[in-house]
Structures are given as C-alpha cells and as structure tokens.
Amino acid sequence: MNIDFLTIEDLDLAGKTVIVRVDINSPINPKTGELLEVNRIREASVTLKSLEDSKVVVASHQGRVGRYDYVSLRQHCKALSEIMGKEVKFVEDVFGEAARRAITSLEKGDVLMLENLRFAAEENYEYSPEEAAKTHIVSRLAKYLDACVLDAFPTAHRAHPSIVGFAAILPTCAGRLVAKELKSLSRVMLTAKAPYTAVLGGAKIQDRLEAIDALIENGKADNVLLTGLIGLVFLRAANKLKTPLKPEHEKFVGRARELLNRYSEAFYLPEDVAIQKNGERVEIKPEQLTSDAAVLDIGEETIRKYSKIIKSSGTVFMSGPPGFFEMDGFEKGTHELLLAMASSLGTTIISGGHLSAALEMVGVKEWIDHVSTAGGALVMFMAGKKLPLIEALRMAAARQRGEKIIQ
Ligand code: 3PG
C-alpha cells in the first residue's frame, strides 16, 4: 500500500498563516458538559508545537448536533494552552467577522482556536472537494490562509468542508499524527493475512453496520465477533432477545437481519452477557434478558470462544470495547480479549480512544502492531474504503508536484 502525501517539511510554512484541522473531539460528561479527557488534545499539540514559526489556526469539531457532547471548544482551548505551556487564543466564531479579524491579527508564533466547526451547519454535511471549496466556511476563511495541515485522522472518513475543502485550494500536507498513522498502517498492512477477524463493539450503530457490510464484502473480515450495543442489535435480529431495544437502536434491527441472512457464516454473537444484580456481576443467556437490565459485558463462555478465534487468526482488528471496563467487575471481557490479541501470532490492530485507554490499563500495548485513537475512520480504512482525508492529501501532493490528478 503506497499513499502519497506531503509532510510539514515539504511546505515552506515559516511566517505563513496555517489552518490545522485536528480532531480533539473528546469524551464529555453528559450531566455537566465538562471535558473528561485530554488525550486527543495532547496528541494534537505535537504538530502544533512544530509550527512555532507560523501563525496557527486550530480547527476541530466536537460531538454531534443535538447530543450532550455538542459543546463549545473553549475548555479544549484552555487544556491545549496548559499542554503547550503558552497562551492559545480562542474565538467564539467559525467563519464570521470575529473569526476573520482574529486570524488577521495573528503574529508569528501565535496559536488561535476557532469555535466547534459543527456549530456551522455546513460542517455537518458531506461534499465533493469542489463543492466543499465553495462552502462559506472554506471560501470565507481561505482568503486569510496560506496553507492547510490535515491532522484529523479520526475524521478521515468524513468529506466535510474542513477535511476536503481547504485541501482543494490551498497547499496542503499531513500533520505529524496523520503521517505517523499512515506510515504505520502501510507497514502493518504488508503483513496482514487471512483469516481476518473483526471484533466490533461501540455505540455508533449506523457507522458499524456500514463498516460490517464493507469489511465482509471486500474480504477483510472472515469472522465478525460482535460485542456491546451492536451485539445486542444483532441478537435482537437473530430473535435471541425477547424485549425490544430502545427505539433509537431498535430501528437498526431490520438492517442487521439483512446482513445476518446474507453473511450468516461470518457472524458470531454473544452467547452469554453480564448484568449487575444487587451490586454483583451476574452472567445470563441473552434470552433471559429483561428490558430493565443493562448489559455491561460479555460473559465467560463468549470470552472463551472469541479468544480462541482471535488467537488463531492471521489478522485481528478490534474496535470498541466489549464492556464497561471502567466499572468494577465488568472489565473482564475487554481485558481478556485484549490479552488474547496480545498473544496472537497474527497482525493485530486496535482502534478507538476507549479501547486504546483499556490497552494501557492491561499493560500490553507493546504487543499490538498498530494502536490508533481513530474509531470509525480506521474501520473504514480496514474495510478498504477510500477515505476523503487521504484522497485530499493525495490530490494536494499531486497538485504541488504539478502532476495530473487522477480521481
Ligand atoms: C470520532 O471520534 O470517531 C471522530 O471524531 C468522528 O466523529 P463523528 O463520528 O461524530 O463524525
């Protein structure tokens, strides 16, 4: 796999005004709206620190419209200031006059963070690069910018204006994180071989269903081991749950049933699950679940079966933790499956901030071939899909080198 892209060293960015699209979308406390974790902010600071001779404009999204995590980036800005050990200015605006004024008053070495990009409606839709370049976000800001650095690998699968629009019209290169991720993935993919196993949990059901289809269709998953919420949707589709799920999850059961029927050989569903009863972990069969019981982990039988498949796979890709590993007594599924991955002789890839954090807790990070805080984007990459951010980098590199652009 050969991905062509420019790096920061390939562009002359000294004294220039540079927009850096990072992904500091972080966990938020649903009750207080407080920022819970700064891992992605710390990671983003690596590229920002290496642009100290430029005027830097930091741009990111946070959460999704209508959800509890759809909050301002003001707290992120404060955290970034602390991590960088210097003032990072904040402007409560995305592309309006206030944002443009703040950009034009930047001095060399200054860092300015824009407000949550998704507060601007356009950033919630997908566009072709040409259309994205015409959006208000891109067309209004680009006049004041000299270059773009794309460092948001976790958002690489979204063709949003900030991912594909600036790159279509400004000199554009990969930031440190994206460059590291692409280099490591290219290396890892060289050793990847069948049988391929995908261990999928996580809560973004729509994205997961799309990814499962692409993974199996493109021969990138011979086995799909399901856990978490997506596991419950498939258990329901297989008629193993008596009571309906919440309406926002139940609506995906039809699609899950279609996939189960089409690829019945590939799927493995939890054979037992863990719930909490009187403060204790209790394991039951899915058929025994009642609507008031929350599933907090996979059970022992499932752990044993999944571990065996993981250990005998040529390549294992795991995204989304199998259980609420932060809760005492419910870390078992996550820990055991991560240990099985660590002892597998196959190529191993871990995806998503949550699972990366769990991996640190188990202490076997160095046994895994590739670890990324990216979730959905990495799943799509593994499924062999073209990612808009990678395509944007590829086209910007070809343009810079004066080559003919092949879409
Ligand atoms: C992520 O955390 O996976 C990325 O920030 C993308 O977020 P999204 O799924 O809301 O686009």
Side-chain angles (χ1 to χ4, degrees):
M1 192 184 58
N2 192 13
I3 302 167
D4 189 24
F5 60 88
L6 302 175
T7 63
I8 288 173
E9 285 66 36
D10 294 316
L11 298 181
D12 177 14
L13 299 176
K16 303 278 170 59
T17 308
V18 182
I19 187 158
V20 187
R21 180 33 162 124
V22 296
D23 185 339
I24 49 174
N25 181 25
S26 304
I28 298 292
N29 182 324
K31 293 202 180 96
T32 62
E34 255 173 345
L35 181 65
L36 287 176
E37 191 195 284
V38 296
N39 290 351
R40 281 188 177 176
I41 302 176
R42 186 168 297 115
E43 284 186 347
S45 71
V46 176
T47 295
L48 302 175
K49 279 182 189 157
S50 60
L51 290 170
E52 56 188 13
D53 289 335
S54 306
K55 303 169 192 176
V56 175
V57 181
V58 186
S60 175
H61 71 282
Q62 167 64 53
R64 289 186 181 182
V65 178
R67 274 178 40 139
Y68 68 89
D69 58 354
Y70 187 56
V71 297
S72 166
L73 288 185
R74 198 178 279 280
Q75 314 171 67
H76 303 56
C77 183
K78 192 163 168 269
L80 180 63
S81 291
E82 278 159 25
I83 290 166
M84 292 189 67
K86 70 189 247 184
E87 189 204 0
V88 177
K89 300 172 202 274
F90 183 73
V91 59
E92 206 181 283
D93 191 13
V94 175
F95 62 79
E97 214 182 312
R100 299 197 303 266
R101 208 175 316 118
I103 293 173
T104 47
S105 54
L106 287 176
E107 304 276 347
K108 190 169 142 181
D110 283 353
V111 183
L112 166 76
M113 188 182 287
L114 300 176
E115 181 54 288
N116 184 351
L117 291 174
R118 289 188 183 171
F119 283 6
E122 290 167 338
E123 186 67 10
N124 298 280
Y125 295 94
E126 304 222 313
Y127 302 84
S128 69
E130 297 75 25
E131 288 166 347
K134 289 185 201 143
T135 58
H136 292 287
I137 298 184
V138 176
S139 63
R140 291 192 193 200
L141 292 184
K143 289 185 198 127
Y144 306 93
L145 302 168
D146 300 306
C148 167
V149 175
L150 290 176
D151 212 21
F153 192 72
T155 328
H157 56 321
R158 310 273 184 228
H160 292 163
S162 65
I163 300 290
V164 298
F166 293 112
I169 50 177
L170 293 174
T172 296
C173 68
R176 302 270 184 245
L177 295 179
V178 163
K180 184 171 157 225
E181 188 99 30
L182 294 181
K183 252 174 78 180
S184 164
L185 277 172
S186 307
R187 219 175 14 238
V188 161
M189 296 317 276
L190 286 177
T191 60
K193 58 178 187 301
Y196 292 91
T197 295
V199 190
L200 301 177
K204 293 178 182 171
I205 311 290
Q206 167 104 43
D207 286 357
R208 285 285 184 257
L209 288 170
E210 247 178 73
I212 289 170
D213 201 358
L215 277 164
I216 305 178
E217 189 68 24
N218 296 336
K220 298 296 182 209
D222 301 299
N223 311 304
V224 178
L225 319 184
L226 295 178
T227 67
L229 195 48
I230 186 78
L232 288 179
V233 172
F234 275 80
L235 281 170
R236 178 87 178 130
N239 298 321
K240 299 248 168 105
L241 296 184
K242 292 205 185 76
T243 49
L245 304 169
K246 288 183 187 158
E248 63 267 35
H249 304 138
E250 187 73 17
K251 69 178 183 199
F252 294 114
V253 170
R255 177 82 185 104
R257 193 169 289 129
E258 266 173 49
L259 289 169
L260 264 182
N261 290 339
R262 185 142 40 108
Y263 308 113
S264 57
E265 306 276 276
F267 285 102
Y268 292 82
L269 310 186
E271 294 184 0
D272 50 359
V273 293
I275 58 166
Q276 197 173 42
K277 227 174 188 174
N278 305 323
E280 296 291 318
R281 176 185 174 108
V282 175
E283 297 199 358
I284 57 172
K285 292 281 173 198
E287 291 84 348
Q288 296 170 288
L289 263 176
T290 51
S291 56
D292 57 339
V295 173
L296 299 173
D297 198 6
I298 48 173
E300 303 256 359
E301 219 174 291
T302 310
I303 294 174
R304 257 195 309 277
K305 188 165 184 178
Y306 283 10
S307 298
K308 208 166 152 202
I309 300 171
I310 289 172
K311 286 184 196 167
S312 60
S313 296
T315 304
V316 196
F317 169 67
M318 185 168 173
S319 184
F324 286 73
F325 64 89
E326 305 90 337
M327 274 177 82
D328 255 1
F330 297 95
E331 61 284 83
K332 202 174 173 68
T334 307
H335 286 194
E336 295 288 328
L337 295 196
L338 287 175
L339 285 170
M341 284 198 68
S343 59
S344 164
L345 294 179
T347 301
T348 47
I349 298 151
I350 295 281
S351 138
H354 244 81
L355 209 47
S356 307
L359 192 60
E360 300 267 4
M361 281 165 68
V362 183
V364 289
K365 194 171 175 184
E366 67 273 26
W367 298 98
I368 304 295
D369 296 307
H370 183 78
V371 181
S372 170
T373 57
L378 193 50
V379 186
M380 287 304 188
F381 179 88
M382 294 304 297
K385 289 262 183 188
K386 278 192 172 177
L387 301 189
L389 182 141
I390 297 181
E391 292 312 300
L393 284 174
R394 203 169 62 80
M395 281 199 265
R399 203 174 55 230
Q400 191 79 5
R401 295 185 178 128
E403 290 164 12
K404 197 160 176 274
I405 296 170
I406 302 158
Q407 305 244 8

